[in-house]
Amino acid sequence: MEAQTLPQWSFDDAYVDFEHENFTGSLKRAEDVLNKASNLIETGKFSAKELAALYEEGFDKLSSLKAFCRCKMSENTKDERAAVVEAKIQSQLSKLELIKQAMLAKFEELGESEWEKFGLSHWKFYYEEQKNSWSKNLKNKEIFAELEQSSFTPIYAIFTHLNNLIDIKAQDSLGEVKNYSFAKCAGILKGSPDGVLRQNIFNELSKHYQKHAPVYIDALNMLHGFRQAKFKNAKCDIFLPSFEQNKISPQAVNAMYCALEKRAGKIREAVTLRASYLGKERMSACDLLAPSPFSGKSQIPYIETIDTIKSALGEEISQFINLMLKNRWIEASLKENKAAGAFYTRFNELKQARIFSSYMGTQAHMIQQAHELGHAWHYWIMRDMPSIQTEFPMSLAEIASTFNEAVLREYIKKNADENLLFDILWQELKSAANFMLHISVRYSFETDFIKARSKGLVTPKEAKEMMKNAWQKWYGDSTQDMEEFLPYFKLHFYKTDQYIYNYPYTVGYLLSQFLIEKFRAKEPNFFEIYKAFLRDTGSMSVDDIIKKHFGKDIKKSEFWLECIDGALGYVEEFKKLSKIQARI
């Protein structure tokens, strides 16, 4: 597929580039706003309304400029300007955090009627949440803010630089040997139809990470060491900040994992059922994301992908997708030096969304487009709200995206012949195993690492054993080997803005399975209920939002078993196809 046929994003209606006046002017204005707010705080003569207005303006600008840095860094990982500018913005965000603390302290003086009177009611949920936050007890906030800027935030950049050094040689099924960067390796493992290449890339990555594992473990020790110093200072449980950040109760997460463990044997069938189609008794770790071996070899043109997504998702979302394309807010081209993976971001200041990916013409990439467009639409229907009410946690951020995926697959299945139906169900099994097993491995590994780190430095040998135990716990005997390099390969472990960045994906996936059942049942006014639900995601906890809109208690395993059993329906559908003899 020619790169020029794929959409490439533009920032001409945003910040253009780092040296452009749109960017420098917005950053200068943000700095001025922060200085004004800091001066007011110093005098002690300010109102809650006045400080909130300055904070909101500063947040909208700085969050947007940081998102722009991510966009520029992702479209060209060799652009060293991005990290430099982002560090400057992060410094301003640290100052903004101190302003927020002063603002919250001022909110304590407000009477019940004054929230509405001063136009601050949109802050009420956040304020109530923060009153009981672990960070409330954190002492020496200024010192931690400075240390965060100098010694914590750069850890993610270190991880990025380490993986940008990857340049391995691997042979494909035609005998051709090429060099592969980190991004290309990730793309191949995520869905290349060439089984030989997948295995060789996997083997070479294993060698690379085995050699360099101590450096990655050092980074993880630094990352969690800093966090735990803060938690110790605040005298809080080491896992509480993650649950708080994701606006979900620990009881709900525990109930979800109890349900997953109860169904683990059945979930593993999403792995074992696919192994024989790849000519293996047990699945290889390098094949966990392999495409259906019977899928068409021809690439799906991007325009066909978009038309299919629009047909599946309906008129309102179709119009939004047209807008995204018209405004050039979608990046899907194939270029050297692009980052791996896909993501959505937004510019709060400008009320704009962007999505990033590298479209390679497969069914998996079609689903990926629907996923990222789901994120963008989620924000789009909330853009009229104050930014604080659009800051939905990761546990709810994945719902619109994974729901889009589910609706798209439902649509394709209805219009599919037997061969295409097999391919779609193959994708469903991949997703089920990924969200319920692979991400659970990450959760088990990371929580074990965090517990061990609270007692001292973790060694590479200890980390390797933790990974082995986590893999065995969730995959059991369904695979013949394991993805031993996962803790070094997966960027989610190194994010400094998200703590324990894994289980929210499982929460989102399972909640989307709950929603797709409602969708299938054609419940009256479902779309409007769904939109109202999404618009509440920035101002309610996961527990409360499900209770409000659907009357369910997510602290009970029964709820999660209902969601899991919905997903396991795909396993039963796949079994019924009985394709082994017919296809081999």
Side-chain angles (χ1 to χ4, degrees):
M1 185 173 293
E2 296 296 325
Q4 61 264 27
T5 66
L6 299 171
Q8 298 182 48
W9 60 17
S10 169
F11 301 107
D12 289 348
D13 61 347
Y15 302 112
V16 188
D17 207 346
F18 293 125
E19 293 79 21
H20 194 274
E21 61 182 359
N22 289 11
F23 185 89
T24 57
S26 187
L27 182 55
K28 176 64 168 61
R29 173 60 184 158
E31 291 169 345
D32 291 345
V33 166
L34 265 60
N35 287 334
K36 183 177 179 179
S38 298
N39 290 337
L40 282 175
I41 293 168
E42 199 171 317
T43 65
K45 297 177 181 179
F46 60 90
S47 68
K49 181 178 181 179
E50 187 177 17
L51 196 57
L54 290 171
Y55 175 85
E56 287 171 14
E57 184 178 357
F59 176 81
D60 282 354
K61 291 183 183 301
L62 290 173
S63 62
S64 300
L65 296 173
K66 186 177 180 180
F68 180 69
C69 287
R70 184 185 185 191
C71 291
K72 296 296 286 183
M73 193 181 298
S74 298
E75 72 176 7
N76 181 9
T77 57
K78 305 292 186 183
D79 188 348
E80 295 180 354
R81 300 175 304 159
V84 174
V85 176
E86 185 177 28
K88 186 176 181 180
I89 293 167
Q90 191 59 47
S91 176
Q92 296 300 314
L93 283 168
S94 295
K95 293 177 184 177
L96 188 67
E97 180 63 25
L98 297 177
I99 292 167
K100 183 175 73 175
Q101 296 307 318
M103 177 188 70
L104 292 172
K106 197 69 175 177
F107 284 169
E108 291 177 7
E109 301 173 10
L110 295 177
E112 195 62 38
S113 63
E114 291 178 311
W115 289 93
E116 187 72 35
K117 178 181 176 182
F118 297 135
L120 295 170
S121 55
H122 57 284
W123 277 101
K124 190 73 184 295
F125 169 75
Y126 184 82
Y127 169 70
E128 294 293 340
E129 193 178 50
Q130 292 298 304
K131 275 203 306 186
N132 300 311
S133 171
W134 70 272
S135 60
K136 187 85 172 174
N137 299 320
L138 183 65
K139 298 166 186 166
N140 305 315
K141 287 185 172 69
E142 294 85 354
I143 295 174
F144 274 113
E146 289 178 12
L147 286 172
E148 184 168 326
Q149 176 62 24
S150 64
S151 306
F152 177 70
T153 303
I155 295 173
Y156 183 77
I158 291 171
F159 167 80
T160 303
H161 293 320
L162 282 171
N163 277 344
N164 280 342
L165 295 175
I166 290 176
D167 183 29
I168 62 175
K169 282 183 167 54
Q171 181 174 295
D172 62 21
S173 58
L174 298 176
E176 189 174 359
V177 177
K178 291 182 181 178
N179 284 62
Y180 294 91
S181 66
F182 170 73
K184 287 183 177 178
C185 289
I188 288 161
L189 290 180
K190 196 164 186 175
S192 169
D194 189 331
V196 172
L197 182 59
R198 285 196 308 272
Q199 185 68 68
N200 288 337
I201 289 287
F202 185 91
N203 292 343
E204 292 303 315
L205 283 175
S206 297
K207 292 177 189 174
H208 174 88
Y209 285 119
Q210 184 175 12
K211 181 178 179 182
H212 299 289
V215 183
Y216 289 89
I217 294 301
D218 285 346
L220 288 176
N221 274 314
M222 289 169 62
L223 189 85
H224 291 294
F226 177 84
R227 280 181 172 139
Q228 291 186 17
K230 287 179 73 175
F231 304 157
K232 185 177 180 180
N233 180 281
K235 297 179 180 176
C236 80
D237 177 81
I238 54 177
F239 297 112
L240 177 64
S242 177
F243 300 133
E244 188 177 294
Q245 183 179 38
N246 286 290
K247 293 182 171 60
I248 190 169
S249 67
Q251 296 92 334
V253 175
N254 289 336
M256 180 181 77
Y257 277 107
C258 283
L260 286 166
E261 285 191 55
K262 190 172 184 178
R263 291 287 192 269
K266 191 73 175 173
I267 298 169
R268 287 176 194 143
E269 290 189 51
V271 177
T272 57
L273 285 170
R274 289 181 290 136
S276 60
Y277 291 91
L278 297 172
K280 299 178 180 179
E281 289 186 15
R282 286 193 295 161
M283 184 73 85
S284 297
C286 68
D287 294 331
L288 287 171
L289 297 177
S292 162
F294 310 112
S295 59
K297 303 301 179 188
S298 60
Q299 292 181 321
I300 306 168
Y302 189 82
I303 188 64
E304 183 180 327
T305 276
I306 289 298
D307 286 345
T308 302
I309 292 171
K310 289 196 297 185
S311 296
L313 298 178
E315 183 61 28
E316 182 175 330
I317 300 179
S318 292
Q319 290 178 5
F320 167 69
I321 294 172
N322 289 337
L323 178 74
M324 290 284 290
L325 288 165
K326 179 184 176 183
N327 291 347
R328 295 185 65 190
W329 292 352
I330 297 176
E331 168 59 46
S333 65
L334 304 176
K335 297 176 185 174
E336 287 294 320
N337 300 325
K338 278 184 74 172
F343 65 82
Y344 132 88
T345 192
R346 85 276 189 100
F347 304 146
N348 287 316
E349 180 183 17
L350 307 174
K351 306 295 184 186
Q352 295 179 5
R354 292 292 192 282
I355 67 170
F356 173 90
S357 67
S358 297
Y359 181 78
M360 300 179 72
T362 68
Q363 197 113 63
H365 285 92
M366 177 191 288
I367 290 166
Q368 184 185 70
Q369 291 298 300
H371 181 102
E372 300 306 334
L373 285 165
H375 281 306
W377 183 71
H378 186 175
Y379 166 69
W380 190 251
I381 63 170
M382 301 175 75
R383 71 191 185 284
D384 61 305
M385 303 165 71
S387 291
I388 188 62
Q389 291 188 318
T390 69
E391 289 292 302
F392 37 81
M394 284 307 304
S395 50
L396 293 172
E398 292 302 322
I399 292 175
S401 54
T402 49
F403 180 74
N404 262 20
E405 288 188 34
V407 173
L408 174 61
R409 292 193 193 104
E410 285 288 304
Y411 175 82
I412 296 173
K413 280 161 61 178
K414 286 178 183 175
N415 298 278
D417 58 23
E418 199 172 63
N419 290 342
L420 182 55
L421 179 59
F422 178 90
D423 296 340
I424 292 299
L425 287 173
W426 180 279
Q427 183 65 38
E428 293 285 13
L429 266 57
K430 272 205 308 182
S431 293
N434 190 53
F435 283 112
M436 295 192 283
L437 296 179
H438 200 269
I439 288 174
S440 296
V441 168
R442 299 182 215 171
Y443 178 75
S444 291
F445 167 80
E446 189 163 17
T447 51
D448 284 350
F449 190 101
I450 290 167
K451 289 174 190 173
R453 183 65 183 88
S454 68
K455 299 173 185 175
L457 292 173
V458 178
T459 67
K461 183 179 179 181
E462 289 170 334
K464 183 176 180 179
E465 189 64 23
M466 290 175 199
M467 185 62 209
K468 180 180 177 182
N469 291 338
W471 193 274
Q472 180 61 35
K473 176 179 180 178
W474 292 103
Y475 279 99
D477 296 328
S478 64
T479 61
Q480 58 181 279
D481 57 356
M482 58 177 279
E483 200 174 339
E484 198 171 295
F485 56 75
L486 181 61
Y488 322 123
F489 179 76
K490 205 67 187 175
L491 64 84
H492 292 170
F493 291 117
Y494 299 84
K495 287 181 72 68
T496 55
D497 59 343
Q498 293 287 334
Y499 178 43
I500 314 183
Y501 188 46
N502 37 58
Y503 70 86
Y505 279 96
T506 306
V507 171
Y509 172 76
L510 292 177
L511 290 180
S512 73
Q513 296 305 309
F514 173 75
L515 289 170
I516 198 67
E517 288 299 323
K518 302 287 183 187
F519 174 78
R520 285 177 184 139
K522 301 189 186 316
E523 294 196 2
N525 304 317
F526 170 79
F527 191 68
E528 293 308 313
I529 294 170
Y530 176 55
K531 284 175 64 178
F533 165 80
L534 292 179
R535 282 177 64 84
D536 273 343
T537 50
S539 54
M540 295 184 78
S541 69
V542 185
D543 302 53
D544 290 343
I545 198 173
I546 297 298
K547 192 75 172 176
K548 174 185 173 180
H549 291 279
F550 302 104
K552 297 285 186 176
D553 185 356
I554 69 169
K555 293 183 180 70
K556 294 182 177 178
S557 290
E558 289 77 10
F559 170 77
W560 298 107
L561 286 170
E562 181 182 343
C563 300
I564 294 165
D565 289 342
L568 290 176
Y570 304 125
V571 171
E572 296 308 312
E573 283 189 70
F574 191 88
K575 285 180 180 178
K576 288 176 185 176
L577 284 180
S578 301
K579 287 290 178 183
I580 295 179
Q581 275 127 24
R583 288 177 175 266
I584 293 179

